Amino acid sequence: MAILSHDMTLDILRCLSVKDLLRFKCVSKFWCSWIDDPYFIKLHLSYSLKTNTNRSLIVRHCKYQFLSVNYDSPKITRRLKQPLGEQKKSIQILGSCNGLLAVEDENGRMLLWNPSTRKYQVLPSTEIEFSSPPIRYSRSTYCGFGYDPVSDDYKLVRIVQLLGANDEYFHSEAKVYSLRSNFWRRIKGFCFYFIFYRQLGFLANNVLHWMVFKTPESSSRNLVGFDLRSEEFSLVELPDFCIDENIYLNVKAMGGHLCLTSTYWELGDIVADVWIMKEYGVKESWVKLMSSTYPDLIPGSPSEVPLASSKNGDKVLFHLKFNRDKRDSLVWYDLGSKRIEKVGIRGVPIVYDVDLYVESLVPLNQKPPRVLERWIACVGKISFSIANLNGNKMAETLASAGMSRPCLFKAWW
């Protein structure tokens, strides 16, 4: 029986599900260290993102129960245990990126959680203090979660905003958490007023986005972005139609692109449009993906929330909140025929929240040995046939390449 080459085996493993890979860690110590290696974890994640595979929906209902739904086969569901156990405490999802979820419990405790590996990490607590706040004020918290590929770091942004009862006081403070350093630090330059209560930031082009006003008194809406690399805020230009104050806007992210939903009245009908920014930061690249009037889709963002597009891009998956049947539902909207196809999920509740995430092996502050990177570095140095070497010569050559024979070949024989 022919033995598969290392490269061929690697190509096979990167295509597998996280569930299968976790099982294969039991094959040998070498396979275990290989699958845990940062190089392979990134390779597997990159393949999943590129091919739109290993995607799942995470459904939250009753504020504390979670279901994982296979994206390609929605009838396949499994119940997820809370990261802190089966406690009946409310948990809110603050963001999803590369298989990691940022969540917050009812006590204000924040965690990063990988539902696929069942690993989690409790974040250090952080408080934002305000100097001389008024006696009567409203306090709102806004978050966003994403990944910075330059520093290879996952970051969680938390913004706390205080507004006086009569708009006589307005102040915001922002902090960013770094998974790499496991530390919160204050960030400067946020001087905007949020439009929606507890608005979550959406990630596109490694930038988190929120809809804001420049001041509490302003009526002109703006889209602000927080660059996870530079950790600076800047405005992103909206399409010209957004100048109309009678249009209801909401920002999302879909397929790595900024996605804007707008709802407005036109000739007695309620119209819902979905816009996509094809080239990030270029105003002229805003393209209307679809336009729907009642009763094609239940009108009114956030009643209809675009989640994702199909692999070939001809359909959009929507989460309809409290539709005509007085229950939530998922539907595919065909952009060509404008037809709607309901998605049946077994065991789904009447009302729920849903997020899209990719199943991954991304660890939480774990530093496994870099077996694969060492092996790949050695491949270029080893340019001989193993069959032509005796044992001593092989050990000698491998040692010169910085590798021992058992480490490299144990799993294959």
Side-chain angles (χ1 to χ4, degrees), residues 66-232:
F66 293 90
L67 287 176
S68 177
V69 182
N70 186 288
Y71 184 82
D72 298 310
S73 302
K75 291 186 178 180
I76 301 176
T77 63
R78 63 186 177 94
R79 185 176 177 182
L80 298 176
K81 291 184 178 180
Q82 276 197 23
L84 295 175
E86 290 294 342
Q87 304 167 357
K88 291 187 177 182
K89 292 185 177 181
S90 175
I91 289 185
Q92 181 188 11
I93 297 178
L94 305 177
S96 170
C97 181
N98 293 348
L100 295 184
L101 300 178
V103 300
E104 181 182 16
D105 67 13
E106 61 185 30
N107 297 321
R109 183 168 43 179
M110 294 184 177
L111 306 90
L112 296 184
W113 174 33
N114 187 329
S116 303
T117 62
R118 301 180 183 179
K119 302 294 184 180
Y120 69 90
Q121 178 171 321
V122 179
L123 274 56
S125 61
T126 177
E127 288 296 330
I128 295 181
E129 300 294 336
F130 295 91
S131 59
S132 304
I135 298 177
R136 296 178 60 192
Y137 63 88
S138 61
R139 177 185 176 115
S140 304
T141 303
Y142 306 88
C143 294
F145 177 63
Y147 173 69
D148 172 24
V150 176
S151 61
D152 188 22
D153 195 8
Y154 290 87
K155 297 180 180 181
L156 175 64
V157 177
R158 180 173 181 260
I159 304 170
V160 178
Q161 192 167 88
L162 259 62
L163 183 65
N166 298 317
D167 294 345
E168 78 285 356
Y169 177 91
F170 168 65
H171 193 68
S172 294
E173 290 289 341
K175 285 187 176 181
V176 60
Y177 167 81
S178 162
L179 177 61
R180 180 174 288 275
S181 65
N182 192 32
F183 183 75
W184 289 93
R185 64 177 176 274
R186 192 179 302 274
I187 50 179
K188 299 179 181 179
F190 187 82
C191 53
F192 303 98
Y193 172 64
F194 283 100
I195 295 177
F196 306 112
Y197 177 71
R198 289 193 68 87
Q199 183 184 175
L200 299 179
F202 288 91
L203 185 69
N205 201 55
N206 305 319
V207 179
L208 290 167
H209 300 84
W210 298 268
M211 291 296 300
V212 297
F213 293 126
K214 287 187 177 180
T215 65
E217 299 82 13
S218 175
S219 59
S220 177
R221 290 157 295 190
N222 293 272
L223 181 60
V224 66
F226 177 77
D227 191 311
L228 291 173
R229 178 185 179 184
S230 64
E231 297 190 356
E232 295 178 348

Side-chain angles (χ1 to χ4, degrees), residues 374 398-399 402-409:
R374 290 180 58 199
L398 290 174
M403 239 179 164
S404 64
R405 176 171 50 188
C407 176
L408 183 59
F409 300 105

